[in-house]
């Protein structure tokens, strides 16, 4: 159908370790738009996902394993529109998340991961260009969450 636009919904987790004030970034491997570049974890919602939270939980478990525990503010997101090299568009909702412990076990989509101190983020690279703005948003949300908004365990 002419004029129809299709969007992929691709949720991202801005994972902050509150103990070190560091951000979890993973290096993409074999990805068309950002191969070798650090990004947040997360991925596309699938038709088999019952809810957005189900999709976030599935992606977290696929990408960093079940042993890692993440707490998220599921009702708040920072949304970015992204145009892929192939012309398709993606809506990227970013969710505030806190690392609560456990081993991180990356899947085949990533070659490695790092914890980047928030105050060193602007000089870190290579990373997706929208990461600093999403982290600034997440830091503000984190302050709200600490005042009683609440987190959901993944």
């Amino acid at each position: 159908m002419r004029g129809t636009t299709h969007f992929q919904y691709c949720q991202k987790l801005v994972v902050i370790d509150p103990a070190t004030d560091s951000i979890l970034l993973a290096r993409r491997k074999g990805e068309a738009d950002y191969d070798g570049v650090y990004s947040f974890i997360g991925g596309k919602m699938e038709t088999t996902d019952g809810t957005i939270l189900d999709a976030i939980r599935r992606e977290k478990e696929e990408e960093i394993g079940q042993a890692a525990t993440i707490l998220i503010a599921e009702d708040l997101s920072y949304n970015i529109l992204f145009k892929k090299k192939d012309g398709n568009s993606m809506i990227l909702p970013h969710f505030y998340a806190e690392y609560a412990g456990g081993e991180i076990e990356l899947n085949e989509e990533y070659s490695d991961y790092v914890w980047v101190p928030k105050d060193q983020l602007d000089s870190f690279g290579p990373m997706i260009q929208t990461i600093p703005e999403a982290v600034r948003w997440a830091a503000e949300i984190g302050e709200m969450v600490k005042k009683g908004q609440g987190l959901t365990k993944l």
Side-chain angles (χ1 to χ4, degrees), residues 8-12 28 31 42-47 49 55-56 58-59 62-63 84 90 92 109:
Q8 291 177 322
Y9 185 85
C10 184
Q11 60 275 352
K12 296 293 182 178
R28 304 291 306 178
E31 204 266 342
K44 298 177 197 83
M45 188 167 186
E46 297 177 0
T47 56
D49 294 322
I56 292 169
R58 177 186 51 74
E59 284 291 338
E62 287 177 4
E63 294 188 0
K84 296 173 67 172
M90 299 178 85
L92 304 169
E109 295 176 47

Side-chain angles (χ1 to χ4, degrees), residues 10 12 34 51 88 90 98 103 117 122 135:
C10 184
K12 296 293 182 178
Y34 286 108
T51 66
N88 288 317
M90 299 178 85
E98 289 183 6
E103 185 178 349
D122 289 334
V135 168

Side-chain angles (χ1 to χ4, degrees), residues 72-147:
I72 73 162
E74 66 178 291
D75 295 329
L76 304 166
S77 67
Y78 179 74
N79 304 303
I80 296 174
L81 175 64
F82 175 69
K83 300 264 186 186
K84 296 173 67 172
K85 289 178 183 175
D86 66 8
N88 288 317
S89 297
M90 299 178 85
I91 297 170
L92 304 169
H94 292 69
F95 292 87
Y96 172 83
E98 289 183 6
Y99 175 69
E103 185 178 349
I104 292 176
E105 299 174 12
L106 295 177
N107 72 2
E108 69 283 349
E109 295 176 47
Y110 300 102
S111 60
D112 70 326
Y113 72 92
V114 293
W115 288 99
V116 181
K118 194 167 33 173
D119 62 359
Q120 296 176 22
L121 198 60
D122 289 334
S123 62
F124 181 79
M127 69 177 170
I128 293 176
Q129 64 272 21
T130 56
I131 287 176
E133 70 184 79
V135 168
R136 282 190 290 277
W137 169 84
E140 291 176 18
I141 293 304
E143 291 305 313
M144 288 175 38
V145 168
K146 289 174 178 64
K147 293 177 184 169

Side-chain angles (χ1 to χ4, degrees), residues 28-55:
R28 304 291 306 178
K29 182 172 71 174
E31 204 266 342
D33 289 287
Y34 286 108
D35 186 39
V37 176
Y38 284 92
S39 70
F40 297 122
I41 63 165
K44 298 177 197 83
M45 188 167 186
E46 297 177 0
T47 56
T48 55
D49 294 322
T51 66
I52 292 170
L53 186 59
D54 290 341

